Structure formats: structure tokens, C-alpha cells
Amino acid sequence: MNVKEILNNLETKHPGEKEYLQAVHEVLESIENIYNENPQYASAKIIERLVEPDRVFTFRISWVDDNGEVQVNLGHRIQFNNAIGPYKGGIRLHPSVNLSILKFLGFEQIFKNALTTLPMGGAKGGSDFNPKGKSDAEIMRFCQAFMLELWRVIGPNTDVPAGDIGTGGREIGFMYGMYKKLQQENTGVFTGKGLNWGGSLIRPEATGFGGTYFTKEMLDTQNDNFKGKTVTLSGFGNVTWGVALKVTELGGKVVTISGPDGYVYDEKGLDADKIDYLLALRASNNDIVSPYVQEFPEAKFYPGEKPWSVKCDIAMPCATQNELNGEDAQKLVDNGVKYVSEVSNMGCTPDAIEVFHKNKILFAPGKAVNAGGVAVSGLEMSQNAMKLNWPMEEVDSKLHQIMTSIHTACIKYGTEPDGYVNYVKGANIAGFIKVADAMMDQGVV
Ligand code: GLU
């Protein structure tokens, strides 16, 4: 079967799973030529095997809220592919979570993890539980109930979960506590753990720092740098915080952040105090960014709008999938954007990517840009296995090296005859070859 037939079959088989089909479509489009040039992949049905998860677990989670009312949520874990290492990927807790979203994230994770050069397969999990507005006790009871099912299928050499939207240090703590109780073993089965119980330095910053290191490499290719550049970010969580911290350190000016309620424009740019305030905003457990302008009245809040109409040199979406569409992309291009570096997973729609490519804007996809998060998770696993903790500088320099190597891989596989770098193609081909060749070596399983 050729790539188009495989895609058509998949659409018939999983008609409602639009995010998952979108992610598969993007990868298959990029690798079509490589696939056609290497008939061994077709005879081993590599794509047909790669696009279906190894297995999917779905379970009910029952817990009791602070009012004594019973709550029921749905939980999932998708073990997508373990050709190059144990299943690895975060847990998303958000009311929008469904199988299509987790399958897209798990599928992306396979290639992202391959790009890190570390031995990690792809997985994702999550629940439609909404942590916003919940008390610590409610979060704990939910996380414990979630683990009562999940613990059976994870393990330090089997499947290693981590954070994602809605799952941060607090949630990992509650989940890990319950895992340890049930398993009667203190094995570092989660990453993103607390620093005094097996976590790694730089893990909280890793996605944002890594994304900024990657973007710096993109700028380097144009003999350019962050100094004096205006940068627009979306989101106000952990990833946005890490990007704001590093971009500012490198001399860039971050002028926007956003939430589901709208975006904040801060003309003066975020400084150390404002970046610190992001942590407080996040810890407040409300999903709104507007309190920022009460704290810093020089900034302006635009309710219900996205930050992509603001003039900038570099745009870095950091919130969630499909947060930047074709129209937004056109506004960015009209306003003279030079680089778009997607830090969220699949943050840009296919239409948006088309606009960037058509206008020869350098655009890099999430699976390359945000791989620093899972890369430091891999480094956390190494430290746990050695029962050692590396100093901050060591983890940061390894992260930097990994991001540079991902960028090099994108250049290698994504440079077009006219010299323009198609980072989407580069990242997808580099990730695919590594996983496909590992699957070839391991036979039909
Ligand atoms: N959720 C993050 C991601 O999308 C991190 C996963 C991990 O550390 O395992 O890559």
C-alpha cells in the first residue's frame, strides 16, 4: 500500500479522531519519499504498524470531592511504540482529553523521543479530569484513584509517565506516592519528580529552555540572535515560564502571554519579577491570565483574543494543539514575523504551517522544539538508574547539546534545493528513520 492508501484506510477506521489523523497525516506526508525509496519498509508494513498503538488502556476513575459527592472520570494510557526504549510520555489532565488527542500526542511522542537520541519509546496518558479550581485534597484523591488502575501497566523499564498540561510537580508527587505504595518499590517510574526524591535539576525549565536553545540555533543559521528581538508567547504555564526566562536571559523581549480568557500585551516586556509572577499565577489554580494586569497595570488585557496579531520577530506558541490557525499565521506574516518556533505539541494547524512554508518563514514543529522536556526526563531516568544526581550545569549542558543535535538532524533531512529548511520534514524524517530501522531490526512483533 502506498502512503495515500494507508491514510485513507486510517480515516475509514478512525473517522472521528481528527487530531490523531492530523498528526499522522503530517508525518506521512513528510516521509513519503523516503518510504517509497526504501521498499523494505513497505514489505515489513512499517507504517501500518507504526500508526496503530501497541496497546491502549482505558479505565474508570471514581473519587469523592470535598462536598462528599462521588465523581467519575475516564482515564487512558496509550503505549504507542517501544522500538527504541521503554514507553515514555506525559499525563494530560484537561476536560478536553479524549482518545484522539492522546493518540495524536502519543504518536508525536514516538518521533520526538527518537529525536532526543535517548532510548525512549512513545506513550501518552491522561484523563478528562479538570484540575482547575480543585483543592489539593481533591487533586490528591483523584491522582490516587488514577494510579489504582495505572500502576499495573507502568514500570521503570516498561512505561515511564511524566507531566503534561494539568500535571505538574504536585500531581506527579501524589501519583508517585500511590505507585510506590502499591508496587512496594521505590523505582523512579515517573519523571518530573521532586528534587529531593529522585527528580532532576532543570526538569521544570527543560521544555522552555530547550525550545529557546532550538530557536537560537534557527537564528544562528541566519547569523541572527535574540538580542533586541520582540517575542510573542502564548500560555502562562510551565512551558511559557521556561521560555520567558531563557529568551529574556538571551536579550529577547517577551511581550505577550495568554490564557483561555484572552491575552496580555506588555509593551515593556517581561522582566524577572513578572516571570516569577507567572509561577504565582499558575499556582493560583485558576485558568485565567487577566490577573496579570491587576498586578502590572502598565500591561493591557485583550479578552477572548489570541496574541498572534501583535507585531513580533519571533512567535513561540506554548499553550496547546491547534492554537494558531491559518488566519493567525497570515497576520504574523503580514506583521513581519521571521521565525515561528512551536513549543506546544502540534500548536499550529496544517493551514498555518502552509502559510509559513509558502512565505519561507522559518517554522519548526513542536516535536523538535519541545523535545527538551522529555530529553531531561531521559536524563532523570539515567540519574535514577545510576543513583546519582547531576549538578545543574551538567544537565543544562546535556540539554543544550541534545537540542543542537536535533537542530542538526532537521537541517540534514529538511534542507530543500533552494536552501530553505523545512523543519517539519527534517524532524519527521529523522525521527521516522530511527524508529523504522529499529523496528526492522527487531522483526515482526
Ligand atoms: N509531556 C511532555 C511532552 O509532551 C514531557 C513528556 C515526558 O517528560 O515524558 O513531551
Side-chain angles (χ1 to χ4, degrees), residues 369-388:
V369 179
N370 74 28
V374 74
V376 175
S377 279
L379 300 178
E380 183 173 328
M381 290 163 74
S382 308
Q383 293 170 80
N384 292 166
M386 290 191 293
K387 314 221 183 291
L388 281 176

Side-chain angles (χ1 to χ4, degrees), residues 88-90 109 112 124 162-164 191 203 345 373-374 377:
K88 180 83 195 87
Q109 202 82 40
K112 183 197 307 196
K124 203 83 189 191
D164 195 77
T191 60
R203 180 62 191 87
N345 287 312
V374 74
S377 279

